[in-house]
Amino acid sequence: MQNQTRIIIENVAPQLDSGAYPIKRIVGQKVNVTADVFSDGHDVLECCVKFKHESEKKWQEIRMIPSVNDEWNADFKVQKQGLYSYFIEGWIDYALNWQHGTERKIQDNQYVKSELLEGAEYVKAVQEFANEKENEYLNTIVAYFTAESDYDKAIAEVTSYKLKQIFKKYPIRVLENKSIELQVYVDRKKALFSTWYEFFPRSASQEKGKHGTFKDCERLLPRVAAMGFDTLYFPPIHPIGEVNRKGKNNATNANPGDVGSPWGIGSHHGGHKATHPELGTIDDFKALVKKAKNLGIEVAMDYALQAAPDHPYVSDFPQWFKWRPDGTVQYAENPPKKYQDIQPIYFESGDWKNLWAELLDVALFWIEECDIKVYRVDNPHTKPFYFWGWLISEIKKKHPDVLFLAEAFTRPKIMNELAKQGFSQSYTYFTWRDSKKELTQYVTELTQTEQKEFYRPNFWPNTPDINPFSLQSGNESVHLQKYFLAATLSSSVGIYGPVFEYMVSTPMAPGKEEYLDSEKYEYFKWDWEIQNKLTTIITKVNAIRNEQASLQQTNNIVFCETNNDQVIAYYKYDDDKQNETLMVVSLDAFNTNQAMVRLPIEKLGNQPIQVTDLITGNTYSWDKEWNFIVLSPELPFHLFKIKR
Amino acid sequence: MQNQTRIIIENVAPQLDSGAYPIKRIVGQKVNVTADVFSDGHDVLECCVKFKHESEKKWQEIRMIPSVNDEWNADFKVQKQGLYSYFIEGWIDYALNWQHGTERKIQDNQYVKSELLEGAEYVKAVQEFANEKENEYLNTIVAYFTAESDYDKAIAEVTSYKLKQIFKKYPIRVLENKSIELQVYVDRKKALFSTWYEFFPRSASQEKGKHGTFKDCERLLPRVAAMGFDTLYFPPIHPIGEVNRKGKNNATNANPGDVGSPWGIGSHHGGHKATHPELGTIDDFKALVKKAKNLGIEVAMDYALQAAPDHPYVSDFPQWFKWRPDGTVQYAENPPKKYQDIQPIYFESGDWKNLWAELLDVALFWIEECDIKVYRVDNPHTKPFYFWGWLISEIKKKHPDVLFLAEAFTRPKIMNELAKQGFSQSYTYFTWRDSKKELTQYVTELTQTEQKEFYRPNFWPNTPDINPFSLQSGNESVHLQKYFLAATLSSSVGIYGPVFEYMVSTPMAPGKEEYLDSEKYEYFKWDWEIQNKLTTIITKVNAIRNEQASLQQTNNIVFCETNNDQVIAYYKYDDDKQNETLMVVSLDAFNTNQAMVRLPIEKLGNQPIQVTDLITGNTYSWDKEWNFIVLSPELPFHLFKIKR
């Protein structure tokens, strides 16, 4: 390729797979762009980051600054939701190069008359763009440079800061080059900072043996809001299939009165655009969403793409399902496991474009009809990746506020790929990370590798599908510890509510992570009034999260050394370091532990600080690098706010 | 983007800057391709590497094998010089997926009649491609699968290895996806394995005070060949400028009789397509190149793109030089340094396309006229990178044998970029790496990072421009050590001959790395007959390099632990591990050192071995991981051949 540019721009970061996917930010965050920028020879070069929001025509630009080894960097702030593009432009700056070279010759006492004449040409080139006041100054410069007599005055001006600033302000870009164009998708704040509560609406009734309704749910909203949750997630609210319905404890055959799994969607009452009659009407649901909104709570719906055998799709669009040679339909299976109440959507269908359009329509229906802004997506890893990339971007074009949480518990690269395709948040392996080493490694991977650019973790200590071994003891301290870790390590956190608060944890069988008498197949009457230590502490932690900016993001974290393997400590800060917190957590649910904790003086400096425990209100003055703490199972953590 | 494929292919390696540059290999080497390949769901997928030489139309393919964490890999061998392309293709393999799923159901004792019918369809699809014998077998299978009675026979065949192999051989590729296309440039062996000798032809005379000629050089060829060198590099052989010619020791003004620097190219005798009259004619040079070739030596020319003030280009093509406002031409300078005998080419010229064409023509002239196959390129980092990319690829299209050595001693990213643009070999920082830590770090960087894919180092202990501090002592042991390190760490090595052999090392001034009385500005009469310990050992080491394949590449190296900081040890192997060597070198030129050396049992296994020192002929039996050695300044290394 014949190309006269002398600039090379390589290794631009952040970027994902050569720009195939945008990175992610929320409104007000920075993008720190770095790149290797260099040219042949010794000439002075300059470079800048150009960026613009998709709604804008004009590129904004910010000049890059060199660090070491031909690396340059610059920050830009994203102020609007939606897609920004950015790229790097570099050029040889002849004027600055002339100033730099001539300065060295003057220092070497060379006679630079010829250089002054050359300089006059660069000054004249800039005059075209300079303002009136600047031009007055530049006229004098040109006069000095070209006159026979003003040599001393001229060489004093060669190196002047004022001239340099004018050259910097109006660069004449020659032999320039550009990097590839990259993108960043900007979400509203909730994409990064959210506090989720999950319950089954059918268990919301006050009366034992009675199916809960949307109306019953309304009654529970004030409690959810008071506890500091801002996102209320319901399992699917659509009609539940009656054919092949599952019984209690996942029995293949339902008994009369069994309510089935809400994930077996669709019956003669309707499909993905209908509500389960026993919960109420769409209008009831709409009223609930509205009331929740007034309390600062967004209702998150479940987007579960599958059909019960009696879902209207099955008869109306048989081409969207896989039929076997013997004429039966293929139900979901993962041999030898069978899910007879669920038929997977057949994405290989020849009619896939109509299928995709309908599935998009389902998502848009609830957004536009009921003001739904958050979807928790069921098993996205069993549907094609490019479907999600398309669906999410189609929805975001019209409704950039809508957020998607990926419920994929599977292999790491698959979970990452879903996030790259556009999921706003993702479930994680947190549920199974118990030891200090496991937690440190996992959070380091999420926050210090490429994942930090696209994977927004949401930490759940439990879900209706996962009754983790660590919680099966029913021990209160471990519940306190798990919620605290989730809520302070990650800025997004969620619990499967009543089951967690009341520490229900009997497994289906020893060694199994499924619940005995799972709420997935029946409904319960919970005591929605009780307050206990867990609810008190959850409420307190959530309130603190709302006040401390350092807990409203996940990536700015530094793990601190401690001399006890049962004690984990980590420091968090917001982007401007206006807010700093230090968490110290005992992972021992049965014994009191003491430990020395090392302050991250690389970040804090080696200076005395005050730390105030925001849970207890106690304040300590720490003037050493290593500090002593004691934690008991009764309250196994400190949440310190740092005052320098 | 709406796309029905279910396959994701990411993180393909090796690749440079998203495929902007080809990686490098020599004929017969392997390319090990790795990638993350996965799909949604649980279906069985397959993938392959497709590759072809630029002269071929048909893609060859080789199936990839999964390792861990959704990573797959495959090797292919490059057999021809020139450019190969490669990419990865992945697909859902329904047939293998059916076999896998049905096998699990059979194990679970499920009745699989419907699955057999499905399987029959997959078998029939394959029959279209299968050969006669295979089809006989497949007919039987179809009969079993579709018959009412042969259920037991049928389910025995479902899981058969034979059926699996046929499915593997004739994959029906659905929902497939492809990676980006990448390239590998394949050179002849010398690109990787070469042994260089440099001398100034004008110093080749036998008579003191007489300018050497090409004819004189012919006389020296047998000695160069006998020492085991295969590449003879001459500084520029073109007419030397007479205007502003430099005197001895780089004096600004030459005295009468001063011969000037060969890098001040061009005079009324001609420019880059002429020879310096005192050296002889083009025909003399042609004869020299031919005689060298008969002795197994290739003559490497210097490609130095600059002009003396009296170069014909200056008057014929003034637009190819930069003129200052006062009408003088811009000579080369790096303020405050001045090179008045050299005018840089002005690549920013508006006439750059004609300039590029002429420079290409110069290179082609010597290739086509004199059979030149190797260029050492002077200061490529002061000319535009894209010029080199274009020039080298234009030449390689017609003459793939031609090799280019980049003489750039500058910042790391610039040296890397030149290699990416196509230079076959590059000078390195080896000249300044003295301690065990420095050598280990540097060679590790060259061989264990991305650099191994494109940067082929050539290790030079000295050059006419660099009289390194380490050699300024004139100590024999350090000269032995430096040549040995260069020749065994790197498969390409070179010395600036007589000066090295006779240990001439007086610097211009203390603390300077320039030579006093540099041969760059005058000629000498060397005693070309003398043999000393250095020439003996160099000859021996070069002979060993020619025999041991493990020394004919640079990347397969493992540094071995030793318990002495003055003793460095490293193990090398060829790609097939048919040849293995172990080098142990003392870096102490003044004292005897002893050390324990650890064998790389990760590579060798924990078994007794025999090591034979190929320099001394001594053999040792080692049956332990750690072994004792003693090295004295008289012979400060072992070069062991390993026999398992």
Side-chain angles (χ1 to χ4, degrees):
Chain A
M1 177 195 61
Q2 285 197 285
N3 182 341
Q4 213 187 2
T5 181
R6 292 173 52 195
I7 304 286
I8 300 283
I9 305 171
E10 283 178 357
N11 199 19
V12 184
Q15 73 169 281
L16 301 178
D17 301 286
S18 312
Y21 309 99
I23 60 160
K24 293 178 191 155
R25 291 292 184 272
I26 60 162
V27 170
Q29 279 191 316
K30 281 178 192 162
V31 178
N32 178 247
V33 184
T34 60
D36 301 336
V37 187
F38 51 90
S39 85
D40 63 278
H42 307 283
D43 290 347
V44 172
L45 69 84
E46 289 279 309
C47 51
C48 66
V49 174
K50 289 192 162 182
F51 63 99
K52 73 176 190 66
H53 186 266
E54 57 185 330
S55 67
E56 296 165 349
K57 285 210 174 131
K58 212 171 159 251
W59 293 91
Q60 297 181 67
E61 78 174 59
I62 184 155
R63 206 60 74 83
M64 297 186 86
I65 293 166
S67 55
V68 293
N69 198 15
D70 294 307
E71 288 169 35
W72 296 69
N73 69 80
D75 283 338
F76 69 92
K77 218 172 203 175
V78 287
Q79 307 281 17
K80 289 187 211 175
Q81 278 179 242
L83 208 57
Y84 279 77
S85 296
Y86 60 98
F87 67 93
I88 293 174
E89 187 172 273
W91 62 92
I92 301 288
D93 200 305
Y94 279 149
L96 293 176
N97 189 53
W98 163 86
Q99 197 178 31
H100 177 70
T102 309
E103 183 172 3
R104 289 206 288 167
K105 290 180 188 174
I106 292 168
Q107 283 162 357
D108 189 45
N109 288 316
Q110 296 181 25
Y111 182 66
V112 295
K113 191 67 218 172
S114 178
E115 283 77 6
L116 291 177
L117 293 176
E118 206 181 335
E121 298 305 314
Y122 294 126
V123 174
K124 282 183 208 161
V126 163
Q127 286 197 288
E128 200 178 317
F129 309 97
N131 62 36
E132 205 174 327
K133 204 173 155 209
E134 288 161 342
N135 264 326
E136 241 172 74
Y137 166 71
L138 294 175
N139 284 332
T140 324
I141 300 283
V142 172
Y144 289 165
F145 284 8
T146 52
E148 285 304 310
S149 54
D150 283 325
Y151 187 74
D152 286 347
K153 281 185 188 162
I155 65 170
E157 288 299 335
V158 164
T159 59
S160 84
Y161 181 74
K162 194 168 174 185
L163 183 58
K164 184 170 187 172
Q165 288 316 105
I166 290 175
F167 282 153
K168 274 249 176 195
K169 189 169 169 190
Y170 305 108
I172 311 291
R173 304 174 192 206
V174 294
L175 308 174
E176 73 271 24
N177 205 355
K178 285 176 191 180
S179 73
I180 56 166
E181 206 171 299
L182 299 167
Q183 297 190 306
V184 48
Y185 190 85
V186 182
D187 275 306
R188 63 188 173 116
K189 186 173 182 184
K190 179 164 240 165
L192 180 59
F193 174 52
S194 57
T195 313
W196 293 53
Y197 193 81
E198 172 177 5
F199 74 80
F200 285 73
R202 68 187 180 189
S203 297
S205 170
Q206 267 178 313
E207 262 178 66
K208 192 170 161 101
K210 200 173 162 206
H211 195 289
T213 64
F214 295 134
K215 286 265 178 256
D216 291 322
C217 295
E218 286 184 20
R219 191 180 28 88
L220 303 181
L221 292 173
R223 178 177 184 269
V224 172
M227 285 178 76
F229 292 101
D230 56 37
T231 311
L232 176 58
Y233 155 53
F234 290 149
I237 58 165
H238 311 300
I240 295 173
E242 292 169 9
V243 176
N244 292 349
R245 181 179 278 193
K246 293 274 185 161
K248 286 177 184 168
N249 281 309
N250 200 18
T252 310
N253 297 310
N255 289 318
D258 276 351
V259 290
S261 159
W263 284 274
I265 296 171
S267 74
H268 61 98
H269 293 297
H272 282 76
K273 291 180 194 162
T275 54
H276 191 56
E278 293 184 76
L279 289 171
T281 65
I282 291 188
D283 283 339
D284 293 342
F285 182 62
K286 219 186 288 190
L288 169 62
V289 171
K290 198 171 172 186
K291 291 223 163 94
K293 192 176 178 182
N294 291 338
L295 289 165
I297 296 172
E298 295 186 33
V299 171
M301 281 183 74
D302 199 312
Y303 188 63
L305 298 182
Q306 56 211 19
D310 42 338
H311 192 297
Y313 283 164
V314 180
S315 47
D316 295 352
F317 305 101
Q319 71 275 25
W320 294 351
F321 300 89
K322 191 177 176 191
W323 299 90
R324 291 147 50 105
D326 64 357
T328 62
V329 76
Q330 179 74 56
Y331 52 75
E333 56 182 357
N334 187 7
K337 286 190 191 172
K338 300 179 184 183
Y339 307 90
Q340 296 92 337
D341 61 336
I342 289 174
Q343 294 177 193
I345 304 281
Y346 186 53
F347 281 89
E348 284 87 335
S349 168
D351 190 36
W352 63 281
K353 289 203 175 179
N354 287 323
L355 168 66
W356 285 27
E358 168 63 16
L359 299 179
L360 172 60
D361 207 51
V362 165
L364 288 172
F365 174 81
W366 298 101
I367 294 166
E368 291 168 1
E369 185 72 17
C370 296
D371 198 24
I372 288 299
K373 296 245 165 65
V374 185
Y375 276 113
R376 177 268 197 193
V377 177
D378 190 66
N379 276 333
H381 58 294
T382 57
K383 288 95 195 171
F385 296 108
Y386 291 111
F387 166 71
W388 295 118
W390 171 82
L391 181 96
I392 294 171
S393 85
E394 288 298 308
I395 290 173
K396 291 250 178 195
K397 273 181 214 162
K398 287 172 94 172
H399 305 283
D401 269 354
V402 177
L403 304 177
F404 295 85
L405 166 64
E407 188 254 356
F409 292 103
T410 179
R411 309 197 303 279
K413 283 178 183 156
I414 293 182
M415 289 167 71
N416 282 342
E417 183 64 28
L418 290 165
K420 288 181 186 174
Q421 292 285 353
F423 278 90
S424 329
Q425 298 186 352
S426 306
Y427 282 81
T428 68
Y429 302 137
F430 168 76
T431 321
W432 300 277
R433 297 293 178 269
D434 296 325
S435 73
K436 180 174 170 178
K437 191 178 163 193
E438 288 168 343
L439 287 163
T440 307
Q441 274 185 353
Y442 186 51
V443 173
T444 300
E445 184 191 318
L446 287 169
T447 60
Q448 313 300 319
T449 70
E450 190 190 63
Q451 286 187 53
K452 73 179 172 189
E453 304 292 354
F454 65 88
Y455 198 93
R456 294 202 194 98
N458 193 331
F459 279 11
W460 288 66
N462 71 335
T463 79
D465 289 305
I466 314 162
N467 176 14
F469 298 127
S470 57
L471 296 184
Q472 289 186 15
S473 64
N475 171 299
E476 183 187 68
S477 187
V478 77
H479 281 74
L480 287 171
Q481 180 210 112
K482 290 287 172 187
Y483 190 79
F484 185 82
L485 287 167
T488 57
L489 284 168
S490 169
S491 50
S492 283
V493 59
I495 47 169
Y496 165 33
V499 157
F500 187 82
E501 288 156 41
Y502 302 113
M503 300 184 288
V504 175
S505 57
T506 314
M508 199 57 169
K512 293 279 176 193
E513 287 196 326
E514 286 104 43
Y515 288 95
L516 180 68
D517 300 328
S518 168
E519 207 173 359
K520 283 167 71 178
Y521 309 104
E522 52 190 301
Y523 60 82
F524 292 117
K525 182 196 170 299
W526 299 105
D527 181 350
W528 292 104
E529 308 300 323
I530 274 184
Q531 294 202 347
N532 58 19
K533 187 163 172 189
L534 257 171
T535 59
T536 306
I537 293 292
I538 288 170
T539 304
K540 196 132 198 171
V541 168
N542 288 349
I544 294 168
R545 281 164 48 90
N546 277 317
E547 285 155 12
Q548 308 301 322
S550 58
L551 301 178
Q552 296 170 11
Q553 58 75 41
T554 302
N555 290 333
N556 296 345
I557 186 168
V558 177
F559 283 94
C560 306
E561 287 175 76
T562 79
N563 67 348
N564 182 338
D565 266 357
Q566 296 284 6
V567 176
I568 188 169
Y570 41 99
Y571 156 82
K572 294 185 83 170
Y573 56 100
D574 69 336
D575 277 337
D576 304 317
K577 278 206 190 168
Q578 294 302 303
N579 181 270
E580 296 168 294
T581 46
L582 175 70
M583 278 55 69
V584 189
V585 190
S586 167
L587 304 176
D588 185 341
F590 301 97
N591 305 290
T592 294
N593 274 262
Q594 57 187 49
M596 295 298 289
V597 177
R598 181 180 174 275
L599 291 176
I601 56 170
E602 303 74 18
K603 292 277 176 186
L604 281 175
N606 205 343
Q607 57 178 341
I609 56 167
Q610 272 200 343
V611 294
T612 301
D613 189 322
L614 298 176
I615 312 267
T616 63
N618 296 335
T619 293
Y620 309 85
S621 288
W622 283 357
D623 59 3
K624 300 208 176 52
E625 190 175 337
W626 288 85
N627 298 280
F628 180 76
I629 59 95
V630 182
L631 291 168
S632 71
E634 285 70 39
L635 190 65
F637 40 75
H638 287 299
L639 199 172
F640 289 127
K641 178 169 184 166
I642 295 173
K643 195 174 156 194
R644 296 205 187 204
Chain B
M1 178 195 58
Q2 285 198 285
N3 182 342
Q4 212 187 3
T5 181
R6 291 174 50 195
I7 304 285
I8 299 284
I9 305 172
E10 284 179 355
N11 199 18
V12 184
Q15 75 168 282
L16 301 177
D17 301 287
S18 314
Y21 309 99
I23 60 160
K24 292 177 191 158
R25 290 293 185 272
I26 60 163
V27 171
Q29 279 190 316
K30 281 178 192 161
V31 179
N32 178 247
V33 183
T34 59
D36 301 336
V37 187
F38 50 89
S39 83
D40 62 279
H42 307 284
D43 289 348
V44 171
L45 68 84
E46 289 280 308
C47 52
C48 67
V49 174
K50 289 194 162 182
F51 64 100
K52 74 174 189 69
H53 186 265
E54 55 185 329
S55 67
E56 296 164 349
K57 286 208 175 132
K58 208 170 163 259
W59 293 92
Q60 298 180 66
E61 77 174 57
I62 184 156
R63 206 60 73 85
M64 299 186 87
I65 292 166
S67 55
V68 293
N69 197 13
D70 294 308
E71 289 168 37
W72 294 69
N73 70 81
D75 284 338
F76 69 93
K77 217 171 204 177
V78 288
Q79 306 282 16
K80 288 187 213 176
Q81 279 178 241
L83 209 56
Y84 279 77
S85 296
Y86 59 97
F87 67 93
I88 293 173
E89 189 172 273
W91 63 93
I92 301 288
D93 200 308
Y94 278 149
L96 292 176
N97 189 53
W98 165 84
Q99 198 178 28
H100 177 69
T102 308
E103 185 173 1
R104 288 207 286 168
K105 289 180 189 174
I106 291 169
Q107 284 163 356
D108 190 45
N109 288 318
Q110 297 182 24
Y111 181 66
V112 294
K113 191 66 217 171
S114 177
E115 284 75 6
L116 291 177
L117 293 176
E118 206 180 336
E121 298 304 314
Y122 294 127
V123 173
K124 283 184 209 161
V126 162
Q127 285 198 289
E128 200 179 318
F129 309 98
N131 62 36
E132 204 174 327
K133 206 176 150 207
E134 288 161 343
N135 263 326
E136 241 172 76
Y137 166 71
L138 295 175
N139 284 332
T140 322
I141 301 283
V142 172
Y144 288 165
F145 285 9
T146 52
E148 284 303 312
S149 53
D150 283 326
Y151 187 74
D152 285 347
K153 282 185 189 163
I155 66 170
E157 287 301 333
V158 163
T159 61
S160 86
Y161 182 73
K162 195 168 173 185
L163 184 58
K164 184 170 188 170
Q165 287 318 103
I166 291 176
F167 282 153
K168 273 249 175 196
K169 190 170 167 189
Y170 306 108
I172 310 292
R173 304 175 191 207
V174 295
L175 309 174
E176 72 272 24
N177 204 354
K178 286 175 189 183
S179 74
I180 57 165
E181 204 171 300
L182 299 166
Q183 296 191 306
V184 48
Y185 190 84
V186 182
D187 276 306
R188 61 188 174 116
K189 186 174 182 183
K190 180 164 238 162
L192 180 59
F193 174 52
S194 57
T195 314
W196 293 54
Y197 193 82
E198 171 176 5
F199 73 80
F200 285 73
R202 68 187 181 188
S203 294
S205 171
Q206 268 178 313
E207 264 178 65
K208 192 170 163 101
K210 200 170 163 210
H211 195 288
T213 64
F214 294 134
K215 285 267 180 252
D216 292 323
C217 294
E218 287 185 17
R219 192 178 30 85
L220 303 180
L221 293 173
R223 178 178 184 272
V224 173
M227 285 178 77
F229 292 101
D230 56 37
T231 311
L232 176 58
Y233 154 55
F234 290 149
I237 58 165
H238 311 299
I240 295 173
E242 293 169 8
V243 176
N244 292 350
R245 181 180 276 193
K246 292 275 184 159
K248 286 176 184 169
N249 282 311
N250 200 19
T252 310
N253 297 309
N255 290 318
D258 275 352
V259 290
S261 159
W263 283 275
I265 296 170
S267 75
H268 61 97
H269 293 297
H272 281 76
K273 290 179 194 162
T275 56
H276 192 55
E278 292 184 78
L279 289 171
T281 64
I282 290 187
D283 282 340
D284 293 342
F285 182 62
K286 217 186 290 189
L288 169 62
V289 171
K290 198 171 172 187
K291 290 223 165 94
K293 191 176 178 181
N294 291 337
L295 289 165
I297 295 171
E298 295 186 33
V299 172
M301 283 183 73
D302 199 312
Y303 188 64
L305 298 182
Q306 55 210 20
D310 41 340
H311 191 297
Y313 284 164
V314 180
S315 47
D316 294 352
F317 305 101
Q319 71 275 24
W320 295 350
F321 299 90
K322 190 177 179 189
W323 300 90
R324 290 145 54 101
D326 64 358
T328 62
V329 76
Q330 179 74 56
Y331 52 75
E333 55 181 359
N334 187 7
K337 285 191 192 172
K338 300 177 183 185
Y339 307 90
Q340 297 91 339
D341 62 335
I342 288 174
Q343 294 176 193
I345 304 280
Y346 186 53
F347 280 89
E348 285 87 335
S349 169
D351 191 35
W352 63 282
K353 289 203 175 179
N354 287 322
L355 168 66
W356 284 27
E358 168 63 15
L359 299 178
L360 172 61
D361 207 49
V362 165
L364 288 172
F365 175 81
W366 298 101
I367 293 166
E368 290 168 3
E369 185 71 18
C370 296
D371 198 24
I372 289 298
K373 297 244 163 67
V374 185
Y375 277 114
R376 175 268 197 194
V377 177
D378 191 68
N379 276 334
H381 57 294
T382 58
K383 288 95 196 169
F385 295 107
Y386 291 111
F387 166 71
W388 295 118
W390 172 81
L391 181 96
I392 294 171
S393 86
E394 288 298 307
I395 290 172
K396 291 249 177 194
K397 273 181 214 163
K398 287 172 94 172
H399 305 283
D401 270 354
V402 177
L403 304 177
F404 296 86
L405 167 64
E407 188 254 357
F409 292 104
T410 180
R411 309 196 303 280
K413 284 179 182 154
I414 292 182
M415 291 167 70
N416 282 343
E417 183 64 27
L418 290 165
K420 287 181 187 174
Q421 291 285 350
F423 279 90
S424 329
Q425 297 185 353
S426 305
Y427 282 81
T428 68
Y429 303 136
F430 168 77
T431 321
W432 300 278
R433 296 294 178 267
D434 296 325
S435 71
K436 179 174 169 178
K437 190 179 163 190
E438 288 169 343
L439 286 163
T440 307
Q441 274 186 352
Y442 187 51
V443 173
T444 300
E445 183 190 319
L446 287 169
T447 60
Q448 313 301 320
T449 69
E450 189 190 64
Q451 287 187 53
K452 72 179 173 189
E453 304 292 353
F454 65 87
Y455 198 93
R456 294 201 194 99
N458 193 332
F459 277 13
W460 288 66
N462 71 335
T463 78
D465 290 305
I466 313 162
N467 177 14
F469 298 128
S470 57
L471 296 182
Q472 290 185 14
S473 63
N475 172 297
E476 185 187 64
S477 186
V478 77
H479 281 73
L480 287 171
Q481 179 210 113
K482 289 287 173 189
Y483 190 78
F484 185 82
L485 286 167
T488 57
L489 283 169
S490 168
S491 52
S492 284
V493 59
I495 48 169
Y496 166 33
V499 157
F500 187 82
E501 288 155 41
Y502 304 113
M503 299 184 288
V504 176
S505 57
T506 314
M508 194 70 162
K512 294 278 177 194
E513 286 196 325
E514 285 103 41
Y515 288 96
L516 180 68
D517 302 328
S518 167
E519 208 172 358
K520 283 168 70 177
Y521 309 105
E522 52 189 301
Y523 60 83
F524 292 117
K525 183 195 169 300
W526 299 104
D527 181 350
W528 291 105
E529 308 300 325
I530 273 182
Q531 296 203 344
N532 59 18
K533 188 163 169 187
L534 258 173
T535 59
T536 307
I537 292 291
I538 288 171
T539 305
K540 196 129 197 169
V541 169
N542 288 350
I544 295 168
R545 281 165 48 90
N546 277 316
E547 285 155 11
Q548 308 301 322
S550 58
L551 301 177
Q552 295 170 11
Q553 59 74 40
T554 301
N555 290 334
N556 296 346
I557 187 168
V558 177
F559 284 94
C560 305
E561 286 176 75
T562 80
N563 66 349
N564 181 336
D565 265 357
Q566 295 284 4
V567 176
I568 187 169
Y570 41 100
Y571 156 82
K572 293 184 84 169
Y573 57 98
D574 69 336
D575 276 336
D576 303 317
K577 278 208 188 164
Q578 294 302 303
N579 181 269
E580 296 169 293
T581 47
L582 175 70
M583 280 55 70
V584 189
V585 192
S586 166
L587 304 175
D588 184 342
F590 300 98
N591 305 290
T592 295
N593 274 262
Q594 57 187 49
M596 296 299 288
V597 177
R598 181 181 174 275
L599 291 177
I601 55 169
E602 301 74 17
K603 292 276 177 186
L604 281 174
N606 207 344
Q607 54 176 344
I609 56 167
Q610 271 200 344
V611 295
T612 300
D613 189 322
L614 298 175
I615 312 269
T616 63
N618 296 335
T619 294
Y620 308 84
S621 287
W622 284 356
D623 59 3
K624 298 205 176 55
E625 189 174 339
W626 289 85
N627 298 281
F628 179 76
I629 59 97
V630 182
L631 291 168
S632 73
E634 284 71 38
L635 190 64
F637 39 75
H638 288 299
L639 198 171
F640 290 126
K641 178 168 183 166
I642 294 173
K643 195 175 155 195
R644 296 207 186 200

